[in-house]
Amino acid sequence: MNNGAFIEAEIAWFGRVLQRRLVLHAREVSGSVLDGLPPPDLPPSLPYADGVRAAGLSPDERLVLMLALAPQLRPQMLDMLLSQNEATGRRFTEFGGTPANDHGFRPTRETALFLLAGEDMNQRLEALRLFAPKARLQAARMLAVPEEDGEVGLSTALTIGRKWLDRLTGAGAELHFPPGFPAQLIETPYGEADLVLTGTAREEVDGLLAWARHEPLVMEDWGLKRHLKPGYRALFHGPPGTGKTMTAAVLGKMLDLPVYRVDLSRVVSKWIGETEKNLGALFDKAAERRMLLFFDEADALFGKRGDTQSANDRHANQQIAYLLQRIEDCPGLVILASNLKGNIDAAFARRFQASVYFAVPEAAERLILWRKLFGALPGLTLGADAMRALARDYPLSGGSLINVLRGVALRLAEGEPVGLEAVRAEAEREAVKAGVLAG
């Protein structure tokens, strides 16, 4: 089930409850509107379900949440509340709400009380507690408060906070950073089938995926949040071009998470004095919405530290301590990448749940990459023996093979006849450049 399908199920449940309330109201019958109509079970790893689970919402609160969301997701569902009382020729006062021009019915808190309690005074008093300042919907800021004066009454429009709308729908807008700040949303055309990892690396990546998919079950349903920190922190280390960034981007795609890449080497060189402010804002956003944070060149900031000889050294250590704490407290997925694990301070490395080594692929993995990259290139035919020979003779990383592919594609685009020797020439040039063959 995807997020949209689950929201459809939640909307369908809301529709059944609303219809029951209207029937009970027409018959002048009181009673609990939710008896025999429980909300759908919350599946794991979907934005809407994760948000509801994280906020700890009861069925009553889920009903109010969907009422607030209805004008955004399915406004026509509320049209029945625009009906008029035949005796007075006016809308039913007990329905609350206001007409919203061409946008149908806009619910208010009075609408929520009607939905939950009808005209039963005891039930209304109970439902009023959902709007107390310390109640879950209010404390988590799921319901927006009017900006004019902050006063909240039963006639106040029931609207969802923008942050929660983005989180629940999984449609959060791209973050905006100060000009020049080295953080950007990264995407990839690759998918899970394109990951070529060694056995150990595959196991570590699978562990990360398992945590992301089952964290709500482990933390909430099993009650282990008393013992375990939320979120997951992983170190990706290995030579350049071995797939660290691509793997992070693919993980984001598999988990339906936006991936934000931060180049820590540029943070250090360009933002001395601003690091806490700017990266602090990034972590604040990560706490508000689902995302994967990918920190490149991590050893630039988390490398081995020597004695503090100057005020700058002490300030740098303060920055590091601050970021270590923010990373540990981040409730989402955080991946740091380094070309050499030995550059990372040991005290920091111990804080990772996973350490994934991205090695230069062996001949068997290289053969898979050659087949994936060159197997369907128009105008090029390489037999099975040729592919095996190329994979055996050139110990290239995936990034280097991409460069070979570019060179071969350009030759083909120029109309050159390209066979095995031409491919070898491109592979030879790249191997020399990468330092794996003598020039």
Side-chain angles (χ1 to χ4, degrees), residues 273-324:
E274 292 289 313
T275 302
E276 294 95 332
K277 175 183 175 183
N278 290 290
L279 289 183
L282 178 64
F283 281 110
D284 288 343
K285 292 295 184 183
E288 293 175 357
R289 63 180 76 181
R290 301 173 74 248
M291 67 174 66
L292 190 158
L293 295 181
F294 178 70
F295 292 91
D296 206 2
E297 303 289 348
D299 39 352
L301 197 58
F302 300 114
K304 294 181 178 178
R305 288 163 276 171
D307 296 331
T308 56
Q309 301 294 331
S310 66
N312 283 341
D313 292 337
R314 289 191 293 275
H315 180 66
N317 283 346
Q318 289 172 357
Q319 288 182 326
I320 292 167
Y322 166 79
L323 286 171
L324 284 173

Side-chain angles (χ1 to χ4, degrees), residues 2 86 190 270:
N2 58 34
E86 293 181 0
Y190 298 115
K270 296 185 68 174

Side-chain angles (χ1 to χ4, degrees), residues 103-344:
H103 300 289
F105 182 88
R106 179 178 296 161
T108 61
R109 281 158 170 74
E110 178 62 52
T111 312
L113 292 187
F114 168 76
L115 182 61
L116 289 167
E119 297 185 34
D120 186 299
M121 184 55 67
N122 286 329
Q123 290 187 22
R124 282 177 64 86
L125 293 175
E126 185 69 26
L128 272 173
R129 299 179 183 179
L130 301 182
F131 301 108
K134 294 185 179 180
R136 279 182 288 254
L137 289 168
Q138 304 295 143
R141 298 185 180 275
M142 299 186 89
L143 301 180
V145 176
E147 295 182 359
E148 304 84 59
D149 53 15
E151 292 293 326
V152 178
L154 293 183
S155 62
T156 301
L158 192 68
T159 54
I160 189 77
R162 184 72 219 184
K163 177 188 77 174
W164 279 98
L165 179 62
D166 290 345
R167 177 174 179 177
L168 294 169
T169 60
E174 183 176 346
L175 300 181
H176 297 286
F177 299 96
F181 186 67
Q184 63 181 14
L185 180 71
I186 60 172
E187 297 175 321
T188 179
Y190 298 115
E192 182 178 10
D194 298 302
L195 293 180
V196 180
L197 302 171
T198 62
T200 302
R202 181 82 240 188
E203 290 175 5
E204 294 280 11
V205 168
D206 285 345
L208 184 154
L209 286 168
W211 174 265
R213 288 167 173 159
H214 302 298
E215 180 179 4
L217 171 69
V218 172
M219 300 290 276
E220 301 295 335
D221 296 358
W222 294 358
L224 295 186
K225 63 182 179 182
R226 296 182 301 145
H227 310 294
L228 303 176
K229 278 184 173 290
Y232 201 88
R233 288 151 287 280
L235 174 66
F236 286 4
H237 60 101
T242 49
K244 298 184 290 293
T245 301
M246 187 195 86
T247 300
V250 170
L251 288 173
K253 179 181 283 189
M254 293 171 66
L255 296 170
D256 195 25
L257 294 175
V259 180
Y260 283 89
R261 176 183 178 273
V262 181
D263 186 341
L264 283 177
S265 66
R266 292 176 60 203
V267 171
V268 172
S269 63
K270 296 185 68 174
W271 289 94
I272 293 296
E274 292 289 313
T275 302
E276 294 95 332
K277 175 183 175 183
N278 290 290
L279 289 183
L282 178 64
F283 281 110
D284 288 343
K285 292 295 184 183
E288 293 175 357
R289 63 180 76 181
R290 301 173 74 248
M291 67 174 66
L292 190 158
L293 295 181
F294 178 70
F295 292 91
D296 206 2
E297 303 289 348
D299 39 352
L301 197 58
F302 300 114
K304 294 181 178 178
R305 288 163 276 171
D307 296 331
T308 56
Q309 301 294 331
S310 66
N312 283 341
D313 292 337
R314 289 191 293 275
H315 180 66
N317 283 346
Q318 289 172 357
Q319 288 182 326
I320 292 167
Y322 166 79
L323 286 171
L324 284 173
Q325 192 60 52
R326 292 305 303 263
I327 287 173
E328 281 205 279
D329 292 341
C330 183
L333 299 180
V334 180
I335 296 174
L336 283 84
S338 171
N339 291 336
L340 188 63
K341 183 182 180 183
N343 289 342
I344 300 293

